[in-house]
Amino acid sequence: MKLRQRHFSSLEAAEKQFEKLGCDLAGSKIMNEKALFFTLELKDISLRAAIILKQELMALGGEVVLSREVMTLKQEKTDVLLLGTQKQYRKLWQKLYQQQFGCKEIAALLQNYFEKQIQERKKPLLWK
């Protein structure tokens, strides 16, 4: 018996490994977004937005790393690290569009980031 960590840089890489394990295509399409993990940094966001992010992403099974000073409410702005899967982020930005305190802007940043990731994966590789 062996255990090793795996990191997939793309949906295609995850799907290829799923196929090697014998997973069918339908199952692969359901699970592939869960295989990609992203750590994203947001800088200079409002404390209220940081607290909402923490609450919403944790509810989805992700995590938000923030300073303990956020809970003292002494600062107006903070930086955070978001930890989650592509699927969790998709659900997160849908929730954030319904919130205030800069959350709509954060939702747009997240959505644009992942849409760009998807478009980049569709581009053919050009070898020089």
Side-chain angles (χ1 to χ4, degrees):
M1 183 180 305
K2 289 184 180 180
L3 173 69
R4 71 178 180 155
Q5 182 178 353
R6 297 299 307 260
H7 173 74
F8 301 111
S9 58
S10 68
L11 290 176
E12 292 77 16
E15 288 173 351
K16 192 177 284 189
Q17 185 62 40
F18 294 174
E19 186 179 336
K20 279 184 181 179
L21 293 173
C23 181
D24 67 21
L25 186 59
S28 180
K29 295 297 179 196
I30 292 169
M31 295 180 282
N32 64 13
E33 285 188 322
K34 297 175 187 176
L36 297 181
F37 189 85
F38 295 85
T39 300
L40 302 175
E41 181 179 31
L42 279 171
K43 299 188 83 49
D44 202 34
I45 66 169
S46 76
L47 292 183
R48 288 179 175 96
I51 293 167
I52 290 168
L53 276 170
K54 179 95 170 162
Q55 175 184 325
E56 295 293 353
L57 192 50
M58 283 183 68
L60 296 168
E63 187 57 84
V64 176
V65 180
L66 44 78
S67 166
R68 75 178 82 145
E69 296 300 315
V70 169
M71 295 307 167
T72 67
L73 303 176
K74 292 179 183 173
Q75 308 167 217
E76 287 188 32
K77 302 276 184 169
T78 190
D79 299 342
V80 299
L81 287 177
L82 307 175
L83 311 172
T85 64
Q86 184 174 339
K87 184 173 184 172
Q88 290 165 334
Y89 284 117
R90 185 171 27 83
K91 289 181 179 182
L92 176 64
W93 82 61
Q94 292 168 352
K95 289 181 166 195
L96 292 178
Y97 274 123
Q98 302 169 31
Q99 299 284 348
Q100 301 176 50
F101 311 115
C103 290
K104 287 177 179 63
E105 291 82 1
I106 294 169
L109 283 173
L110 290 170
Q111 184 175 10
N112 290 336
Y113 174 81
F114 283 101
E115 285 175 355
K116 185 177 178 183
Q117 291 290 315
I118 291 167
Q119 289 305 314
E120 288 295 318
R121 285 195 302 266
K122 290 181 180 178
K123 289 182 182 176
L125 292 177
L126 299 175
W127 300 96
K128 291 185 180 187

